Amino acid sequence: MAIVTAKAGPKLQSVQRLPAYLGILRGMLAEGREFVSTSHLAEVLKLPAIVIRKDLQMTGITGTPRVGFDLRFLVAAIEQFLGWNNTKDVFLVGVRGFGEALLAFDGFGTAGMDVVAGFDRQPELFPGGVRGKPVFPIARLGELARRMHIAIAILTVPDTDAQETADVLVTAGIRAIWDFTTPRLCLPDDVIVQKAGLISELAVLSKRLRERGLTATAEEGNSI
Amino acid sequence: MAIVTAKAGPKLQSVQRLPAYLGILRGMLAEGREFVSTSHLAEVLKLPAIVIRKDLQMTGITGTPRVGFDLRFLVAAIEQFLGWNNTKDVFLVGVRGFGEALLAFDGFGTAGMDVVAGFDRQPELFPGGVRGKPVFPIARLGELARRMHIAIAILTVPDTDAQETADVLVTAGIRAIWDFTTPRLCLPDDVIVQKAGLISELAVLSKRLRERGLTATAEEGNSI
DNA sequence: TAGATTGTTAATCGATTAACAATC
DNA sequence: TAGATTGTTAATCGATTAACAATC
């Protein structure tokens, strides 16, 4: 009666480390550097060199002994491996609250992602859009997704609307959802649901705090 | 010459799953339920029951055969294990951009965290604060942290200011940082740095998209 | 009692780490 | 050539999964 969990695909941890490599490597490239060895990268990133070598292996790139990796090729290889070489336009659904911040943020460009529009049940709350990005009623999502060939959506609606909105997204042709809501969504298997892990990170942070005895309860009467 | 990575502590993955359990369990509690079995939880969460049992074991709670776990005790045990039973006040540093959204967001209460104030190099940009939360110049951080006994900060400054600002935080007595910047911070060992993984999550999402052949490049002329 | 569920102990699996051969 | 660095193969480690005994 065991339930099969989503299969791992390529090593999860390795994929997660790649963006950090990419950041450093892009910086080195901008500085005009041409080659880099894993031992040097290891020193900068404070990671074991063997970890980095194994991770890079995954991208299919090959270095040259005694020289290292060609920086330009290496950056290109990682970008291609992640699909960050071409920008994907995405929609953000649920602008009130956390979504507004994400919509205003434009730091996902390095990750090949451009949030081009927001959708909300009450678009009238954002008459001029958010930082130049328009906010539409959810009813228009299907039409616009088709017209703009959008396949990815960020879901930041309130938890109570999560499943219902997700269903709308799927009907509208969305194939991948970056999900910031807490409930577990029930969607067709061919739709990719990537859970955002902010709360999980807080759990880890909290645990580490407790381990060090920093359970510092907010004390009484400490108003600003 | 191997570099020692931060030791794992209690099983990382297990800790990360606890918030999901807690969400469901709190809901069940609100519905008036009194007991829950891991098999039932497993069904709801679509996870193998053995995983949940092992995870719960970590919190130290004990169930009763044939009955399951006392919901009230279970919720309390998880909250205590994570330190989410008492609210911790935190500062947010770097309000422009992504930080503003986080400051406006108040969904971390369930995780025992309350963002009480923002700090920015240009506080004058936020005359009335953000959603009622005041924004101070960074120069006042030390004074206020001491007065309010704040030990945790969320770091959302631009990458270029990250290290410098982090140093200021440590001097101000901050003992734990939830770090949304990309560079690797160099700080004393006794300061907890928890990296936010948004970009890593995007890497995983991108990879999964590519695996399914959804490399959908944004096409030409698809303006809104 | 009978049977469902917990808790524990063992087995499997995968990832990380180490050792070393290949190579420029 | 000599030596640094890659790439590969083996060993270790830890986490997940399975099996089963304990228990209410």
Side-chain angles (χ1 to χ4, degrees), chain A residues 68-79:
Chain A
F69 292 81
D70 182 301
L71 245 182
R72 195 170 302 276
F73 286 166
L74 185 50
V75 167
I78 298 177
E79 286 177 346

Side-chain angles (χ1 to χ4, degrees), chain B residues 9-224:
Chain B
K11 300 185 188 176
L12 190 63
Q13 319 253 48
S14 297
V15 173
Q16 290 178 331
R17 279 187 292 259
L18 288 182
Y21 303 167
L22 196 53
I24 299 285
L25 296 171
R26 278 170 172 162
M28 289 177 173
L29 198 57
E31 286 167 2
R33 204 181 165 106
E34 293 196 28
F35 291 91
V36 66
S37 70
T38 51
S39 42
H40 180 64
L41 247 186
E43 212 171 306
V44 176
L45 285 157
K46 303 269 168 53
L47 279 175
I50 182 71
V51 168
I52 299 175
R53 270 227 298 288
K54 268 280 158 63
D55 288 348
L56 294 185
Q57 213 161 305
M58 185 178 56
T59 69
I61 195 162
T62 165
T64 54
R66 242 183 92 73
V67 179
F69 292 82
D70 183 301
L71 245 181
R72 195 170 302 275
F73 287 166
L74 185 50
V75 167
I78 297 177
E79 286 176 346
Q80 169 147 359
F81 180 80
L82 293 174
W84 288 8
N85 46 342
N86 51 23
T87 302
K88 291 168 286 293
D89 289 345
V90 311
F91 283 166
L92 181 141
V93 187
V95 180
R96 285 163 295 161
F98 188 68
E100 185 176 358
L102 273 186
L103 191 53
F105 181 60
D106 58 353
F108 295 140
T110 53
M113 197 160 274
D114 189 11
V115 185
V116 294
F119 292 82
D120 201 280
R121 195 172 259 186
Q122 299 177 273
E124 64 272 15
L125 292 176
F126 310 91
V130 174
R131 290 245 184 134
K133 291 169 185 176
V135 177
F136 300 108
I138 293 182
R140 292 197 58 195
L141 197 145
E143 163 215 340
L144 287 166
R146 262 180 292 278
R147 175 136 64 91
M148 300 176 67
H149 302 94
I150 304 285
I152 308 172
I154 300 174
L155 187 63
T156 44
V157 296
D159 286 351
T160 47
D161 302 344
Q163 182 63 54
E164 179 192 347
T165 310
D167 291 335
V168 171
L169 294 183
V170 172
T171 307
I174 295 296
R175 310 310 314 278
I177 297 172
W178 194 16
D179 179 21
F180 282 78
T181 71
T182 47
R184 191 189 173 89
L185 302 177
C186 288
L187 296 175
D189 283 343
D190 61 336
V191 175
I192 296 170
V193 177
Q194 176 77 28
K195 271 279 175 202
L198 289 176
I199 297 292
S200 290
E201 277 169 22
L202 272 184
V204 175
L205 178 58
S206 299
K207 196 71 202 49
R208 292 173 70 190
L209 279 165
R210 272 187 54 94
E211 275 164 18
R212 305 231 183 150
L214 295 172
T215 317
T217 314
E219 294 174 22
E220 302 297 326
N222 58 357
S223 60
I224 295 173

Side-chain angles (χ1 to χ4, degrees), chain A residues 11-31:
Chain A
K11 299 184 187 176
L12 191 64
Q13 318 254 47
S14 298
V15 173
Q16 291 178 330
R17 278 187 294 260
L18 288 181
Y21 303 167
L22 197 52
I24 300 283
L25 296 170
R26 276 170 173 163
M28 289 176 172
L29 198 58
E31 286 167 2

